[in-house]
Amino acid sequence: MPGSGVTTLASLSEEIPTVETGLREYVPHVVAWNLTRRCNLECAHCYISAGPSESADGEITTEECLRIAQEILELNPSPMFILSGGEPLLREDLTSIAAFASKRGATVVVGTNGTLLTNERIAALKVAGVSGVAVSIDSLDQRYHDNFRHGRGSLEATMQALARLREHKLDFIIQTTATKGNRSELARLVEWAAEQGAVSFNLYFLVATGRGARLSDLSPAEYELLLAELVTLQRQYLGRMMVRSKCAPHFMRHVHRAAPDSTILNYETRCPCGSQYCRITPDGKLTPCPYTPLPAGDLRKQSFADVWNNSPLFQELRSDSLGGKCGRCEYRRICGGCRARALALEGDIMAADPSCVYEPSGTIPVIERSRPVTYGMQVEPGMRWSPDAEARVKRIPSFVRGVVTRRLEDYARKQGLSEVTVGLMSEVRKAMPIDFSKRKPFFLGDD
């Protein structure tokens, strides 16, 4: 399944941003954590080649997980942890790990194929402080979905799980990997996800790693058509459900051209792997992202801080040395291409993304982000905050806190107010990209 999750701010992590403030800061804002290679399904595109034949041998222990989580929290007191797999529900200590992290300030989400989400498991996840769940649906055609995931009845089981998530009022997103087999379903899948009450629809673009290397990907020309369609759908569902691309940062070029005032442009999406985002493998290796198998270090032998701060691989990814046309493209600050795809297809993590057809003209200035505050940036308060509002904003995941802080203060000034209060936060909730009037995100409404 894709390696991403949900936040209570409707998956604003779509492409986790870099921080670029003159003096760059590199903070682990989002950590994707593959807890196991075990899975009850055997999906055709799985980047980690998970499946029923895998065992728990070699998995890092509960104690090691808690130690690593604590080391991450020492670098960033409010990260987002995406607990995934394989199928993470097969780890008996999933709720223990989630509870440890959530109680210490992390936002914790779970990525699952959905088939094991019983009422009891959902209730346990909520008790452990899990904020949301990402569930994978590859087609509304039962035969296609079940064959793709090598699990008879898996589509029906996942759809039943969505009903349980709604009943338990636990936010969820729908994730789909674009393939030649489901390409024609995109508009219907997005419509269906909105009907189900998803807070976001994330469309993943294949990276040829793991079992995904065996699949035939869409052509670069097909990427262009699909990304353009995705921008149209994003605008169509604004205020009802977020629509996002994953592993295709050239989505931002399409957004910039079609909707230059879009709130999506609050953040740049140069691939954040190794700078704001990373992945932990089941055996404790730290890699730049789930789709990049190159290890930056071994967390069984090294501290998280040592790898994060000193890895030569991470240092390279934090440089400005993008290769080929990505390095000279005018959109490089809001796109930059997918580093995992460059590695998989070109053998060079800094090479140009071969899935992009765009040719830089060389005559257009570099396009800068259009907003003064982007996701990941730290923002000092510019006005008075009530103590309870200040406490609540500190609980926002670090990668979105700056943008939310600025949005709240701008709203307060427009209302002629001199202080941000919890009541004002509740008002702003109704103006979010998702209509949260019937939901109460933990930092924008009542507890």
Side-chain angles (χ1 to χ4, degrees):
M1 61 162 292
S4 185
V6 190
T7 75
T8 48
L9 193 54
S11 301
L12 285 176
S13 61
E14 186 275 328
E15 296 287 352
I16 311 304
T18 58
V19 177
E20 207 164 339
T21 59
L23 174 63
R24 282 188 172 183
E25 301 173 14
Y26 298 103
V27 177
H29 288 295
V30 179
V31 179
W33 201 327
N34 294 129
L35 289 170
T36 182
R37 284 189 171 84
R38 290 173 285 152
C39 190
N40 59 318
L41 302 178
E42 196 170 7
C43 304
H45 66 314
C46 183
Y47 62 85
I48 201 170
S49 298
S53 64
E54 297 292 329
S55 73
D57 294 345
E59 290 179 0
I60 50 178
T61 65
T62 305
E63 291 71 22
E64 288 174 313
C65 288
L66 301 187
R67 187 259 302 169
I68 293 168
Q70 182 59 44
E71 290 176 353
I72 297 168
L73 287 160
E74 289 170 2
L75 288 180
N76 179 4
S78 52
M80 176 176 165
F81 288 162
I82 303 169
L83 304 183
S84 185
E87 176 47 63
L89 292 172
L90 292 177
R91 279 208 51 152
E92 295 180 358
D93 58 358
L94 175 62
T95 53
S96 297
I97 296 167
F100 178 91
S102 66
K103 288 177 181 177
R104 286 162 176 77
T107 296
V108 181
V109 299
V110 170
T112 171
N113 61 46
T115 60
L116 303 180
L117 281 171
T118 63
N119 282 312
E120 293 74 19
R121 297 308 296 271
I122 295 170
L125 292 176
K126 288 191 69 174
V127 169
V130 171
S131 300
V133 177
V135 176
S136 298
I137 298 285
D138 294 299
S139 174
L140 297 177
D141 181 322
Q142 181 173 333
R143 182 176 179 181
Y144 181 89
H145 177 95
D146 290 0
N147 287 342
F148 190 77
R149 293 195 163 261
H150 289 195
R152 186 174 181 179
S154 60
L155 179 60
E156 179 60 27
T158 301
M159 288 185 169
Q160 291 176 7
L162 296 179
R164 297 184 194 108
L165 289 167
R166 289 192 297 270
E167 182 180 346
H168 286 266
K169 295 182 172 57
L170 184 58
D171 279 349
F172 62 89
I173 67 174
I174 300 297
Q175 304 195 138
T176 298
T177 297
T179 65
K180 292 180 182 295
N182 65 10
R183 167 66 182 90
S184 62
E185 283 191 79
L186 176 61
R188 176 58 189 138
L189 278 164
V190 174
E191 179 184 34
W192 177 84
E195 291 169 352
Q196 299 305 304
V199 296
S200 183
F201 176 87
N202 288 346
L203 185 67
Y204 278 77
F205 287 77
L206 186 71
V207 177
T209 186
R211 281 196 294 271
R214 306 174 190 171
L215 295 183
S216 176
D217 196 10
L218 300 173
S219 70
E222 289 171 318
Y223 267 56
E224 287 292 290
L225 292 173
L226 189 51
L227 288 169
E229 184 179 346
L230 207 61
V231 172
T232 299
L233 290 166
Q234 183 268 328
R235 298 173 73 182
Q236 179 181 339
Y237 286 88
L238 186 65
R240 182 180 178 190
M241 180 184 72
M242 288 188 169
V243 177
R244 296 288 186 267
S245 72
K246 295 281 191 177
C247 304
H250 29 315
F251 176 63
M252 299 300 285
R253 168 168 50 84
H254 287 267
V255 173
H256 186 272
R257 288 180 164 185
D261 295 328
S262 172
T263 55
I264 294 178
L265 295 173
N266 271 352
Y267 52 95
E268 60 182 348
T269 55
R270 174 175 167 180
C271 184
C273 63
S275 59
Q276 309 298 316
Y277 179 50
C278 60
R279 182 270 297 260
I280 301 171
T281 67
D283 59 352
K285 302 298 192 299
L286 190 64
T287 80
C289 84
Y291 303 93
T292 306
L294 288 179
D298 187 342
L299 299 181
R300 280 180 154 157
K301 301 176 181 178
Q302 301 166 270
S303 71
F304 185 93
D306 180 26
V307 181
W308 181 260
N309 292 324
N310 302 314
S311 163
L313 176 58
F314 285 173
Q315 295 296 328
E316 181 180 22
L317 287 163
R318 295 167 189 174
S319 72
D320 290 322
S321 56
L322 289 176
K325 66 181 183 181
C326 280
R328 62 179 185 273
C329 182
E330 55 267 27
Y331 289 97
R332 63 184 177 270
R333 296 200 186 280
I334 62 172
C335 173
C338 174
R339 300 299 96 221
R341 189 173 293 106
L343 176 66
L345 298 181
E346 302 295 329
D348 179 358
I349 201 167
M350 301 301 285
D353 182 344
S355 70
C356 180
V357 301
Y358 182 73
E359 290 294 336
S361 66
T363 61
I364 302 174
V366 174
I367 295 169
E368 303 287 349
R369 58 179 180 262
S370 59
R371 310 286 176 175
V373 181
T374 63
Y375 294 117
M377 276 191 175
Q378 299 300 309
V379 174
E380 292 297 322
M383 63 191 308
R384 188 168 66 250
W385 287 63
S386 68
D388 52 354
E390 187 176 70
R392 185 159 290 169
V393 82
K394 288 180 179 178
R395 292 158 55 190
I396 297 175
S398 60
F399 66 93
V400 294
R401 189 182 304 139
V403 167
V404 173
T405 296
R406 181 60 61 87
R407 182 177 295 177
L408 289 166
E409 292 189 348
D410 287 349
Y411 184 84
R413 292 188 184 97
K414 288 178 181 178
Q415 303 303 310
L417 304 174
S418 60
E419 182 180 51
V420 176
T421 65
V422 169
L424 180 138
M425 296 173 94
S426 296
E427 290 182 35
V428 172
R429 182 182 70 221
K430 299 175 183 178
M432 300 299 286
I434 288 293
D435 179 6
F436 278 117
S437 61
K438 296 182 180 179
R439 290 189 176 96
K440 293 185 177 179
F442 66 98
F443 57 86
L444 288 180
D446 301 329
D447 287 324

